[in-house]
């Protein structure tokens, strides 16, 4: 019997305990006793036959997994307040921004902090990534008909993100081929408060975090991470969990792309209640990193079986994979890689689809083992399943060897920093900088345009102060 399932859209991967409880009751009414979690922080109703019938009564957005044009917004709200973060990007800021997206997007949208590692930065069609400037975001675009990700030539204001995303969706029918053309079309379509990109995006490298168990944050608060290796969360347990959230005055529950749940802000005086809840239902919250750092296709039994086989081999050989992440996928999903190492299942050879033959796999790893580089290197191709454990152990060792060498080389090559002086012009009202090297693409000013050649009606891209408000300044920057 064919397996059937539906997706419940959860905007930004964050919902209230009351909303989650209503979703659980909806699943129960469809005859389910478990729910599952999706790769884009959504909730899945899965049934092992074709009798799944759900009446959402328009309260929740329910879509078929095969439906195109009903995408979930991914956000790193789940990481705020518990993992490294950009100082201005608080949990409340995420919620205000998500509230601006009132229309269900047709494109995959990611809203992320570059200082966290739990939520992927570049797996969307529109990837908003926080900058150092408060309330301004880089935008990296990979439209459905594009092969590569391109940086939008302006920083996007927080309160413009939703309308710019909507404008890009409207523009898709014109099939823009370059980000510059897209930029021009968006500027013609909407008024926005863009800011000039004055520095390239820097994504620091952090080890992949441990995201399970009860963990202290601050002096009197805890957060709880829950993970099921089979991605089947029991509804009766989750309903009691929602009630305990309400009793503990916890307003939000988060879902991660790793198919886990995180509850933040557990007060110290109710920690014992949470421990009692976990114990009463026999919930294991101490999986090893070997188990946690895998990303699998949704509801794919063969991928889960392969993962269990590989983890068991790692465990028996006492292999450490700290800082690494692994993904199992097939060749058709290469654009959505976001793990350090990819186990890619090959498609059957042309003409042999009906013949039963052993599967073969390719192994790829991200440049510097950092998925945010978006560059993957082929390690081996067309290997048998029995070869995978040994090859993955080789890759794990290579990761640790490179990690050590990189640190040693940086020490050896370290030298006194050189100070570079550049001349630019700064708005005296809001301190926005006009650097002739970069121009101001938000106002169609080409790079290498001297300040003196700017039109007399030129205005600050941020506060609209006139050209006369800009003062010449010498900026100093230290480089290695």
């Amino acid at each position: 019997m064919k397996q059937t399932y539906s997706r419940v859209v959860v905007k930004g991967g964050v919902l209230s305990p009351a909303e989650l409880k209503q979703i659980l009751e909806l699943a129960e009414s469809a005859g389910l006793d478990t729910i599952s979690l999706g790769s884009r922080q959504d909730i899945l109703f899965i049934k092992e036959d074709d009798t799944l019938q759900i009446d959402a009564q328009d309260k929740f957005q329910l879509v078929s997994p095969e439906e195109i044009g009903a995408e979930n917004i991914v956000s790193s709200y789940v990481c705020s307040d518990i993992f490294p973060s950009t100082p201005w990007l608080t949990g409340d800021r995420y919620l205000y921004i998500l509230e601006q997206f009132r229309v269900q997007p047709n494109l995959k949208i990611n809203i992320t902090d570059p200082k966290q590692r739990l939520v992927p930065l570049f797996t969307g069609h529109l990837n908003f990534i926080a900058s150092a400037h408060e309330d301004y975001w880089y935008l990296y675009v990979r439209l459905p008909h594009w092969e590569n990700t391109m940086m939008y030539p302006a920083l996007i204001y927080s309160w413009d993100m939703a309308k710019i995303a909507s404008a890009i969706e409207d523009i898709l029918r014109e099939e823009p081929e370059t980000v510059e053309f897209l930029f021009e079309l968006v500027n013609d379509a909407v008024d926005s408060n863009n800011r000039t990109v004055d520095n390239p995006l820097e994504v620091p490298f952090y080890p992949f975090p441990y995201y399970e168990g009860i963990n202290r944050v601050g002096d009197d608060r805890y957060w709880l991470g829950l993970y099921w290796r089979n991605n089947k969360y029991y509804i009766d347990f989750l309903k009691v969990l929602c009630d305990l959230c309400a009793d503990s005055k916890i307003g939000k529950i988060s879902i991660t792309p790793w198919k886990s749940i995180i509850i933040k802000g557990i007060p110290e005086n109710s920690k014992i209640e949470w421990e009692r809840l976990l114990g009463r239902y026999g919930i294991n919250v101490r999986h090893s990193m070997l188990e946690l750092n895998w990303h699998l296709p949704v509801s794919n039994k063969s991928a889960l079986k392969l993962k269990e086989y590989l983890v068991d081999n790692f465990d028996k050989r006492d292999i450490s994979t700290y800082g690494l992440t692994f993904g199992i996928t097939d060749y058709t999903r290469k654009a959505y890689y976001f793990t350090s190492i990819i186990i890619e299942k090959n498609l059957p050879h042309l003409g042999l689809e009906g013949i039963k033959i052993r599967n073969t796999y390719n192994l790829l790893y991200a440049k510097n083992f950092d998925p945010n580089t978006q560059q993957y290197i082929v390690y081996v191709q067309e290997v048998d399943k029995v070869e995978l454990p040994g090859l993955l152990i080789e890759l794990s060792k290579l990761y640790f060897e490179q990690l050590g060498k990189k640190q040693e080389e940086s020490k050896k090559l370290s030298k006194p920093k050189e100070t570079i002086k550049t001349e630019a012009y700064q708005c005296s009202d809001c301190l926005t900088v006009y650097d002739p090297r970069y121009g101001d693409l938000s106002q169609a000013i080409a790079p290498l345009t001297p300040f003196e050649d700017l039109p007399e009606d030129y205005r600050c891209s941020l506060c609209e102060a006139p050209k006369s408000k800009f003062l010449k300044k010498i900026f100093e920057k230290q480089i290695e």
Side-chain angles (χ1 to χ4, degrees):
M1 190 73 71
K2 183 180 177 182
Q3 185 185 76
T4 56
Y5 61 106
S6 288
R7 294 170 51 232
V8 183
V9 171
V10 181
K11 186 164 60 177
V14 52
L15 71 174
S16 71
E19 288 171 325
L20 177 56
K21 193 167 184 180
Q22 289 174 329
I23 291 170
L24 297 171
E25 290 168 349
L26 193 61
E28 276 187 321
S29 69
L32 301 174
D33 57 9
T34 64
I35 61 166
S36 297
L37 306 179
S39 299
R40 289 193 63 81
Q41 297 175 300
D42 39 11
I43 292 175
L44 308 180
F45 295 167
I46 302 175
K47 206 162 189 183
E48 298 299 329
D49 56 37
D50 58 1
T51 64
L52 183 62
Q53 293 184 346
I54 304 167
D55 180 15
Q57 298 179 340
D58 297 325
K59 178 153 185 68
F60 299 105
Q61 175 93 20
L62 283 173
V63 293
S64 163
E66 294 81 20
E67 184 175 340
I68 297 172
E71 296 296 348
N72 200 36
I73 299 173
V74 163
S75 85
S76 54
Y77 168 85
V78 63
C79 301
S80 65
D81 308 319
I82 61 174
F83 293 130
S85 62
T86 296
W88 62 264
L89 190 50
T90 61
D92 288 344
R93 194 73 57 101
Y94 279 107
L95 297 178
Y96 291 141
I97 290 167
L98 289 169
E99 184 60 30
Q100 308 303 310
F101 289 83
R102 300 180 187 277
V103 177
Q104 178 65 38
N106 297 320
L107 295 174
K108 292 183 173 72
I109 296 174
N110 289 21
I111 300 172
T112 54
D113 187 331
K115 292 191 175 182
Q116 56 78 40
R117 298 286 288 185
L118 196 61
V119 179
L121 306 186
F122 299 106
T123 56
H125 298 118
L126 305 179
N127 303 285
F128 294 96
I129 302 172
S131 78
H133 299 293
E134 184 169 350
D135 271 325
Y136 279 89
W137 302 74
Y138 295 93
L139 173 56
Y140 281 77
V141 183
R142 193 195 69 243
L143 298 181
H145 62 286
W146 289 5
E147 282 290 323
N148 300 312
T149 303
M150 305 183 198
M151 189 186 80
Y152 195 78
L155 297 180
I156 308 298
Y157 187 47
S158 288
W159 317 119
D160 290 339
M161 290 163 67
K163 68 179 180 181
I164 285 178
S166 179
I168 291 174
E169 290 194 348
D170 291 340
I171 288 164
L172 273 182
R173 61 183 177 273
E174 300 188 38
E175 296 190 348
E177 293 296 335
T178 67
V179 74
E180 290 78 18
F181 184 39
L182 178 68
F183 175 72
E184 291 176 14
L185 293 174
V186 171
N187 274 356
D188 289 342
V190 296
D191 292 326
S192 56
N193 299 286
N194 294 342
R195 180 171 182 151
T196 303
V197 177
D198 51 2
N199 285 299
L201 171 66
E202 293 184 3
V203 181
F205 181 84
Y206 292 105
F208 185 69
Y210 190 90
Y211 57 83
E212 195 186 31
I214 296 180
N215 305 271
R216 178 182 285 276
V217 56
D219 294 332
D220 61 349
R221 296 277 157 175
Y222 294 83
W223 63 269
L224 168 65
L226 296 171
Y227 168 82
W228 267 251
R229 62 164 58 94
N230 64 2
N231 194 23
K232 292 182 178 179
Y233 290 79
Y234 286 101
I235 289 173
D236 58 348
F237 165 75
L238 291 178
K239 287 171 70 176
V240 177
L241 178 144
C242 290
D243 292 338
L244 185 52
C245 281
D247 293 343
S248 304
K249 295 183 172 54
I250 294 168
K252 298 297 177 185
I253 295 172
S254 303
I255 299 169
T256 81
W258 300 84
K259 305 177 183 69
S260 59
I261 295 171
I262 288 182
I263 295 135
K264 299 181 286 185
I266 296 173
E268 190 163 30
N269 60 12
S270 68
K271 177 174 176 278
I272 191 68
E273 293 297 324
W274 286 89
E275 291 174 339
R276 186 179 293 119
L277 171 67
L278 298 174
R280 192 163 80 243
Y281 282 87
I283 306 300
N284 176 23
V285 289
R286 282 290 174 260
H287 292 99
S288 74
M289 184 65 89
L290 290 177
E291 178 72 47
L292 292 174
N293 56 3
W294 289 78
H295 186 266
L296 306 184
V298 170
S299 193
N300 188 311
K301 293 180 180 178
S302 64
L304 180 59
K305 190 173 179 181
L306 177 59
K307 173 202 166 178
E308 291 170 347
Y309 166 74
L310 295 171
V311 169
D312 185 55
N313 270 272
F314 281 179
D315 193 40
K316 286 176 179 176
R317 303 192 201 189
D318 289 328
I319 297 299
S320 170
T321 60
Y322 177 71
L324 286 173
T325 52
F326 300 85
I328 297 176
T329 186
D330 60 53
Y331 189 76
T332 61
R333 293 183 60 83
K334 62 189 293 185
Y336 298 98
Y337 293 166
F338 66 93
T339 57
S340 310
I341 295 174
I342 297 293
I343 300 125
E344 185 180 73
K345 181 180 176 181
N346 287 310
L347 299 175
H349 289 289
L350 203 60
L352 299 178
E353 291 85 355
I355 302 173
K356 187 147 188 169
I357 57 175
R358 291 172 69 90
N359 293 318
T360 63
Y361 301 86
N362 307 324
L363 288 183
L364 301 86
Y365 65 98
K367 182 181 178 182
N368 300 327
F369 292 91
D370 182 357
N372 288 321
T373 63
Q374 302 182 78
Q375 298 178 46
Y376 282 84
I377 301 162
V378 176
Y379 188 61
V380 293
Q381 291 179 293
E382 300 277 349
V383 298
D384 194 90
K385 172 182 170 181
V386 295
E387 299 177 74
L388 289 176
L391 291 167
L392 288 172
I393 289 169
E394 286 179 13
L395 271 178
S396 298
K397 290 179 179 177
L398 178 62
Y399 161 70
F400 288 112
E401 285 175 10
Q402 287 192 359
L403 194 64
K405 284 180 182 176
K406 192 172 181 181
Q407 292 173 340
E408 291 169 11
E409 287 171 6
S410 63
K411 290 178 182 177
K412 289 178 183 177
L413 296 175
S414 62
K415 56 183 179 181
K417 292 182 178 179
E418 180 183 355
T419 300
I420 300 295
K421 295 183 179 182
T422 57
E423 184 179 283
Y425 296 79
Q426 188 170 46
C427 174
S428 57
D429 286 354
C430 71
L431 305 183
T432 293
V433 173
Y434 175 79
D435 190 329
R437 293 176 300 168
Y438 305 113
D440 185 352
L441 292 179
S442 67
Q443 300 188 64
I445 305 297
L448 303 180
T449 301
F451 182 79
E452 295 78 10
D453 292 349
L454 295 179
E456 289 307 313
D457 60 354
Y458 175 80
R459 291 187 172 274
C460 174
S461 60
L462 181 61
C463 72
E464 298 189 345
K467 180 179 175 182
S468 59
K469 286 282 190 176
F470 281 78
L471 304 176
K472 183 189 291 188
K473 288 194 67 175
I474 302 297
F475 293 87
E476 295 185 356
K477 184 177 181 181
Q478 288 188 327
I479 63 171
E480 296 291 344

